[in-house]
């Protein structure tokens, strides 16, 4: 049966729910290669959710929302984030990294994406841009499986997340993205994000921001 967007419920993530936790990991991997499946592109693609999905659910599940279409395998999309980026990565190092560092050791001499993500996992502070977080302290990651895309679910997830940030008094949020991902770029601009920092040799990602 083909479900419409109206059949999908945007709801809070359920802490301790094995189905929700597995769905976050699965979605992150299946969308981790420029929106496509990252399996086969990494020595262990589990590094993607270990960096960009699971720690948010473990450290502050109140800002995790999922798109649930009733599939027994779990949600088909999610949004995760942190209200204070600098505080989040301090917590990441203190509480999350000790739990996963042995599974994802640094790969000395590896400069491919696998090596870079392993290095980033062990030095999460590198993801902080002081200029960006000054006025846009929160950040986010959002992913939808292919059959959940182009149905308005991204907008609904984003709205749930932004409303939750406003309730916490957060003034702005940002994200960092690969500028080659033109579909995602267009979505963020439609939602109201604006460029904060263009890619450079030191930082090849594009930073976008939204005032709340």
């Amino acid at each position: 049966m083909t479900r419409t967007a109206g059949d999908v419920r945007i709801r809070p993530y359920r802490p301790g729910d094995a189905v929700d936790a597995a769905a976050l990991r699965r979605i992150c991997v299946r969308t981790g290669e420029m929106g496509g499946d990252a399996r086969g592109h990494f020595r262990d693609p589990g590094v993607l959710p270990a960096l960009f999905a699971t720690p948010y659910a473990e450290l502050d599940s109140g800002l995790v929302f999922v798109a649930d279409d009733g599939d027994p395998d779990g949600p088909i999309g999610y949004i995760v984030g942190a209200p204070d980026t600098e505080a989040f990565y301090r917590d990441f190092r203190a509480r999350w990294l000790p739990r996963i560092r042995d599974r994802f050791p640094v790969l000395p001499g590896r400069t491919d994406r696998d090596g870079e993500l392993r290095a980033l996992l062990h030095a999460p502070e590198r993801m902080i841009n002081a200029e960006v977080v000054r006025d846009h302290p929160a950040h986010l990651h959002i992913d939808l499986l292919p059959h959940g895309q182009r149905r308005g679910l991204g907008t609904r997830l984003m709205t749930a997340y932004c409303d939750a940030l406003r309730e916490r008094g957060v003034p702005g949020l940002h994200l960092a993205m690969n500028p080659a991902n033109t579909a995602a770029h267009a979505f963020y601009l439609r939602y109201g994000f604006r460029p904060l920092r263009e890619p450079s040799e030191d930082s090849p990602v594009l930073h976008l921001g939204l005032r709340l």
Side-chain angles (χ1 to χ4, degrees), residues 11-81:
R11 62 165 175 82
Y13 174 84
R14 296 168 179 158
D17 186 299
V19 174
D20 274 12
L24 254 61
R25 296 191 298 269
R26 181 175 64 255
I27 295 164
C28 189
V29 171
R30 299 290 177 87
T31 60
E33 182 64 22
M34 291 284 290
D37 198 329
R39 291 175 297 177
H41 293 272
F42 295 89
R43 176 174 174 174
D44 181 347
V47 69
L48 291 164
L51 258 174
F52 302 124
T54 305
Y56 296 90
E58 293 292 317
L59 300 176
D60 187 355
S61 62
L63 286 177
V64 180
F65 298 90
V66 299
D68 186 348
D69 71 346
D71 191 310
D73 287 336
I76 61 173
Y78 65 77
I79 189 166
V80 301

Side-chain angles (χ1 to χ4, degrees), residues 180-202:
N181 193 341
T182 55
H185 191 196
F187 166 75
Y188 296 130
L189 294 181
R190 286 196 303 272
Y191 196 84
F193 283 81
R194 293 295 176 262
L196 296 177
R197 187 180 177 91
E198 297 293 334
S200 66
E201 283 189 19
D202 294 332

Side-chain angles (χ1 to χ4, degrees), residues 118-140:
R118 296 290 188 98
L120 195 61
L121 183 73
H122 288 261
E125 301 83 3
R126 288 172 47 199
M127 289 182 271
I128 301 171
N129 184 293
E131 178 184 344
V132 168
V133 302
R134 183 176 59 244
D135 295 322
H136 301 80
H139 72 269
L140 67 93

